[in-house]
Amino acid sequence: MQPKITFFRLLGLGGIIFLSHFLKFDQLFRQHFTAANQPVGLVDSLLSIMTLEEKIGQMTLFTSDWELTGPTLRATYKEDIQNGRCGAIFNAHTAAYTRELQKIAVNETRLGIPLLFGYDVIHGYKTIFPIPLGESASWDIEAIEKSARVAADESTAAGLHWTFAPMVDVSRDPRWGRVAEGAGEDHYLGAKIAAARVKGFQGDNLKDLNSMLACVKHFAAYGAPQAGRDYHSVDMSEMTLREIYLPPYKAAIDAGAKSVMTSFNDVFGVPATGNTFLLKQILRDEWGFDGFVVTDYTSINEMVAHGVAANEADAGLMAAKAGVDMDMQGAVYYKYLLQQVRSGQISMRLIDESVKRILKIKEDLGLFEDPFRYCNAEREKQTILSPANRAAARDVAKKSIVLLKNQGNILPVDVNKGQKIALIGPLAETQKELLGSWSAAGFDTDCVSLKSGLLAQIKNPSLLQVVKGCNINGTDKTGFNAALAAAKKADIVIMALGEEGLMSGEAASRADIHLPGVQEDLLKAVSALGKPIIVVLMNGRPLILDQVDMNAQAMLETWFLGTEGGNAIADVLFGKYNPSGKLPMTFPKNMGQIPIHYNVKSTGRPFDAVNKYTSKYLDSPNEPLYPFGFGLSYTQFEYSSIALNDKIMTKNSPVEFSVVVKNMGAVAGEEVVQLYIRDVVASVTRPVRELKRFEKINLKAGEQKTVKFTLSANDLTFYNPQNLPVWEPGAFEVFIGGNSLATLKTQFSLVR
Ligand code: NOJ
């Protein structure tokens, strides 16, 4: 092997280019490039001998036939790999299958350039973690990073290199099903979580065997579709785009994310996939992003339906010119780019830039050194669903649960008391729904149902009676009688209510976000018996819970918690774990309040109960049922002694704020201490509250801690009418507490 490498080295780049026109390099060439001590400039050397078809191949991503997540499917993806016309595949996984496909690319194509394997690993690969919205409710950045780390470890053991995550779209509309995949309504929290997920997926170095390439999506503003309907149009000011929607994408890129996915929606009238302002000005010029940009599924083709391109070929030109490097599934580059380059409609320089970015990532992942390094069946067997991974999933799952109500402290249930429990509801025994949407390779049979979770902790199984009562959806009430009979015999009723896992996620918007079907009726019927009721909610978005609130003594929001769901819920129900989650999205009181979010702008006519002509509804309060940042504990935390070390902040002198938090109850607990500001007077209207800092602390019974936060002028910047970030002198109020309605307050002034 060595003499061949020496031969190519002596030959030099010029010689290689010359010879490549005559020879089929196959094995020889590949060996040159896969040598352990790589030649400098591998990507450039490779680029110099690639044909235009081969280059376009690297810009093409096709799905395998394993999973279908969109409207079209190419039956010929294996031939495309073989012909060098497709450089990346998604929805193919397992060490065995990725090896099979990689062999085609490496052994059967002229240059043997390895494939990149992508997949929607959104909240776990096989060990499924809580849906991202649920995990976000933990406000536990370390745990969230750990969740992504485990997902990367399992995925890379199964041959994958690239996850289409994190999804960082801020959303203020719970009708939009994809809120399940994000971090909720706040961009500050969202940015912290975005960075943690990138770090978790990518690890310290992309070359590490358990690091996978992150793909921040969906760029940009996909979370603001009109009326919460998926794929609908987005229209907002540049000020709002920059201030509210962009920060999490930026945070992900600053954390090192090396790929970005465009979104389906338009921004300022131009679909994101052809949007030069987004992809060139913001992403490349302002943020200095040097990774590659991939489209969402057929989003180039969809620019025809958007009505901004007459045909697919024109749509392809728009995308290529805007800086889209890779076409997911649309086959537009595949079909038209060759001719467009040859006819001079698009420059070879643009193509080369895109191909270089993609090859650079393949190089960073170590694929040129060993294209099969991720296809290790032995590692796959040992890693996937390991006890350590399941333990990590259970840990994040219990931290994601939010205690919404606990009237008369009926929770936790004392498991040693021998009380008879009726577990009622369509989600009582489910394994499948626990997976939520985008559950990658997760199997329902690996999930611990709520029933199994309870049984694992109840000593005498005959104390638990389980009845479904009704389906999640539909009108059938024939199961009500059995449910009522079980409830009558019980000391405590636990009702497992909520949505199907796929009622949120992509293409899963709902116009009415009450509990579906007859579940509210079932709850009311059981409630009429007068037994204490604990409602365990499983859902992928905020729901309208006014009726649930009226008919239950306790409520736990458990989202879809994944593989260890039932165990985690049992931990909380029985007090093994004191709930610490806080809502990452506002829970409205009724449909009319939507869209709703805590950081609304100040209006000229703020709410005034006695003045009709103020901003309010005739038939509803303005306040949500549960505000952003809200969540109870089995103990109570008292906030006092808010203080600051200086009443004046300048550009170079930050201010330190402190507050004393005391655990007033009899059990240890965790609290998310949140700091919000209000800019009292500015040159543009500012939000009534903005989250600026938070810290999750642990306090033993009776313990108190002083929590400190530092803010500087940079934290107080906003966008002016010219869309430039500025900070302005003036008064600021600071609120610290356990949710976005915190009342403990101080103030300071920012001076020049
Ligand atoms: C469409 C979705 O919008 C996107 O999030 C996902 O990554 C792709 N399909 C691939 O499955």
Side-chain angles (χ1 to χ4, degrees):
M1 197 187 292
Q2 201 56 34
K4 288 173 195 162
I5 296 167
T6 314
F7 166 71
F8 279 104
R9 289 229 171 95
L10 287 175
L11 195 62
L13 191 56
I16 292 174
I17 297 168
F18 177 75
L19 275 181
S20 71
H21 293 294
F22 304 102
L23 293 177
K24 194 170 183 296
F25 280 105
D26 288 14
Q27 217 60 32
L28 283 182
F29 186 77
R30 236 178 352 264
Q31 279 161 3
H32 172 67
F33 280 97
T34 56
N37 58 346
Q38 286 177 29
V40 186
L42 179 144
V43 167
D44 283 322
S45 309
L46 201 44
L47 199 67
S48 67
I49 58 161
M50 287 170 80
T51 64
L52 182 54
E53 285 91 335
E54 284 163 345
K55 289 178 183 174
I56 296 168
Q58 291 303 308
M59 297 170 72
T60 297
L61 166 65
F62 286 143
T63 178
S64 82
D65 50 9
W66 273 30
E67 254 137 307
L68 181 60
T69 51
T72 60
L73 180 66
R74 296 179 61 78
T76 55
Y77 69 97
K78 286 190 186 165
E79 286 152 47
D80 291 324
I81 297 171
Q82 197 171 33
N83 297 329
R85 300 205 60 197
C86 164
I89 289 286
F90 67 119
N91 294 332
H93 50 106
T94 71
Y97 192 47
T98 53
R99 178 177 289 275
E100 181 187 322
L101 297 182
Q102 193 68 294
K103 270 191 191 161
I104 306 178
V106 171
N107 297 333
E108 298 178 34
T109 65
R110 190 177 75 99
L111 296 176
I113 299 174
L115 290 167
L116 185 70
F117 290 110
Y119 197 34
D120 287 284
V121 179
I122 307 295
H123 54 115
Y125 172 70
K126 198 69 131 180
T127 304
I128 301 301
F129 283 71
I131 55 167
L133 185 66
E135 260 185 16
S136 305
S138 73
W139 295 53
D140 189 325
I141 300 301
E142 238 174 76
I144 292 170
E145 183 177 331
K146 169 85 182 176
S147 151
R149 195 84 284 277
V150 171
D153 201 24
E154 291 197 353
S155 306
T156 53
L160 292 162
H161 315 134
W162 183 24
T163 174
F164 301 139
M167 186 279 217
V168 304
D169 304 316
V170 166
S171 185
R172 297 166 157 184
D173 195 326
R175 291 171 297 184
W176 190 52
R178 301 203 80 169
V179 298
E181 296 171 49
E185 73 188 42
D186 184 69
H187 58 282
Y188 177 77
L189 176 63
K192 295 275 173 226
I193 291 175
R197 290 195 167 131
V198 170
K199 282 189 213 142
F201 287 128
Q202 294 196 168
D204 296 330
N205 185 342
L206 264 191
K207 212 164 243 172
D208 292 342
L209 257 190
N210 59 359
S211 286
M212 80 192 302
L213 171 66
C215 182
V216 53
K217 70 187 190 185
H218 307 81
F219 191 66
Y222 182 41
Q226 278 172 32
R229 210 176 74 206
D230 206 6
Y231 315 128
H232 206 352
S233 192
V234 167
D235 198 8
M236 64 174 64
S237 68
E238 187 176 331
M239 195 187 267
T240 300
L241 176 75
R242 286 188 180 271
E243 186 165 318
I244 307 293
Y245 289 86
L246 292 187
Y249 307 105
K250 170 79 162 54
I253 286 160
D254 289 346
K258 288 290 175 198
S259 72
V260 168
M261 187 186 293
T262 65
S263 55
F264 288 124
N265 57 284
D266 60 333
V267 172
F268 308 144
V270 182
T273 304
N275 195 315
T276 309
F277 170 72
L278 288 179
L279 301 179
K280 274 206 176 2
Q281 183 177 322
I282 293 187
L283 190 62
R284 300 275 181 208
D285 299 345
E286 293 182 23
W287 296 355
F289 176 64
D290 63 358
F292 71 84
V293 174
V294 62
T295 70
D296 202 344
Y297 203 107
T298 63
S299 66
I300 298 184
N301 320 55
E302 290 165 26
M303 289 200 283
V304 177
H306 269 289
V308 297
N311 50 48
E312 283 186 355
D314 285 357
L317 271 184
M318 255 183 95
K321 286 184 179 164
V324 169
D325 303 306
M326 192 185 277
D327 173 6
M328 182 196 287
Q329 190 62 9
V332 176
Y333 284 178
Y334 176 98
K335 286 192 232 158
Y336 306 104
L337 217 46
L338 187 85
Q339 188 46 39
Q340 287 167 337
V341 175
R342 288 200 175 135
S343 65
Q345 285 173 284
I346 201 123
S347 77
M348 188 60 119
R349 187 184 51 82
L350 266 189
I351 305 294
D352 283 350
E353 278 173 10
S354 290
V355 177
K356 242 170 130 163
R357 291 182 191 123
I358 294 162
L359 292 180
K360 172 76 173 62
I361 297 293
K362 291 189 176 184
E363 184 185 29
D364 290 350
L365 286 161
L367 290 173
F368 288 111
E369 285 165 42
D370 178 4
F372 301 101
R373 63 201 298 263
Y374 297 88
C375 317
N376 179 339
E378 195 43 47
R379 188 184 145 216
E380 184 178 33
K381 222 187 294 161
Q382 278 164 13
T383 312
I384 282 169
L385 280 169
S386 70
N389 290 359
R390 291 194 79 124
R394 182 168 178 166
D395 182 61
V396 182
K398 66 190 188 194
K399 289 176 172 162
S400 304
I401 296 173
V402 184
L403 177 63
L404 294 176
K405 181 175 181 182
N406 194 14
Q407 198 179 310
N409 290 329
I410 71 162
L411 279 174
V413 173
D414 185 348
V415 75
N416 297 316
K417 244 176 150 182
Q419 299 178 94
K420 281 183 258 149
I421 301 174
L423 173 61
I424 297 173
L427 289 140
E429 293 193 64
T430 187
Q431 292 174 287
K432 178 171 147 239
E433 310 305 342
L434 284 171
L435 293 169
S437 72
W438 292 122
S439 49
F443 277 153
D444 50 357
T445 47
D446 291 321
C447 290
V448 180
S449 70
L450 176 53
K451 176 186 169 186
S452 305
L454 295 181
L455 281 174
Q457 297 191 35
I458 294 173
K459 286 182 196 103
N460 176 359
S462 68
L463 292 174
L464 183 72
Q465 208 185 341
V466 184
V467 185
K468 189 172 173 194
C470 65
N471 293 322
I472 295 175
N473 218 344
T475 53
D476 184 6
K477 293 188 178 179
T478 51
F480 277 29
N481 282 342
L484 291 171
K488 272 186 203 150
K489 281 190 249 153
D491 302 309
I492 301 173
V493 180
I494 299 175
M495 295 196 65
L497 309 175
E499 298 179 302
E500 288 163 10
L502 295 182
M503 281 182 171
S504 55
E506 187 179 355
S509 292
R510 293 180 64 206
D512 180 346
I513 57 167
H514 282 88
L515 281 174
V518 292
Q519 295 183 77
E520 276 182 9
D521 295 340
L522 177 65
L523 171 62
K524 285 178 199 163
V526 175
S527 162
L529 300 175
K531 302 276 175 160
I533 299 180
I534 299 155
V535 171
V536 172
L537 293 155
M538 299 184 195
N539 44 283
R541 57 156 64 74
L543 296 175
I544 308 280
L545 296 171
D546 56 332
Q547 295 303 311
V548 181
D549 181 41
M550 278 195 291
N551 289 285
Q553 283 65 50
M555 291 157 74
L556 282 179
E557 175 54 74
T558 75
W559 320 102
F560 294 117
L561 289 179
T563 312
E564 286 290 322
N567 283 333
I569 299 171
D571 286 344
V572 169
L573 284 172
F574 296 139
K576 255 194 181 175
Y577 180 74
N578 186 354
S580 63
K582 301 275 187 176
L583 296 177
M585 271 189 97
T586 305
F587 275 46
K589 228 177 211 130
N590 54 53
M591 292 303 300
Q593 292 180 327
I594 299 171
I596 188 167
H597 53 102
Y598 82 96
N599 47 355
V600 290
K601 293 271 197 97
S602 304
T603 73
R605 293 187 173 194
F607 175 83
D608 178 349
V610 293
N611 184 349
K612 177 176 183 206
Y613 296 97
T614 57
S615 183
K616 60 184 168 194
Y617 301 101
L618 290 177
D619 53 357
S620 162
N622 287 359
E623 290 75 40
L625 188 61
Y626 298 113
F628 173 81
F630 174 81
L632 301 170
S633 160
Y634 293 155
T635 184
Q636 298 80 44
F637 298 101
E638 184 194 78
Y639 286 76
S640 64
S641 314
I642 188 167
L644 69 183
N645 70 347
D646 201 334
K647 285 251 168 219
I648 303 293
M649 181 190 288
T650 67
K651 186 168 178 261
N652 299 318
S653 61
V655 173
E656 188 182 86
F657 302 86
S658 63
V659 72
V660 174
V661 188
K662 182 167 187 193
N663 181 345
M664 306 296 286
V667 289
E670 287 160 274
E671 169 72 335
V672 181
V673 183
Q674 302 160 44
L675 180 149
Y676 296 84
I677 64 150
R678 177 177 189 161
D679 187 343
V680 183
V681 180
S683 57
V684 295
T685 53
R686 300 298 306 144
V688 294
R689 292 267 162 120
E690 295 174 74
L691 179 70
K692 288 292 174 188
R693 291 286 185 274
F694 64 88
E695 191 181 331
K696 195 162 186 172
I697 57 165
N698 210 314
L699 290 176
K700 296 191 198 95
E703 193 189 0
Q704 71 175 42
K705 265 185 195 160
T706 301
V707 179
K708 292 182 176 166
F709 298 110
T710 302
L711 290 182
S712 68
N714 259 347
D715 296 306
L716 308 176
T717 51
F718 57 86
Y719 286 86
N720 69 10
Q722 288 70 46
N723 297 309
L724 295 170
V726 291
W727 58 267
E728 289 176 353
F732 289 82
E733 293 173 342
V734 173
F735 304 84
I736 305 183
N739 64 60
S740 57
L741 300 181
T743 48
L744 203 59
K745 177 176 153 186
T746 184
Q747 55 186 42
F748 69 95
S749 295
L750 175 60
V751 299
R752 283 218 185 272

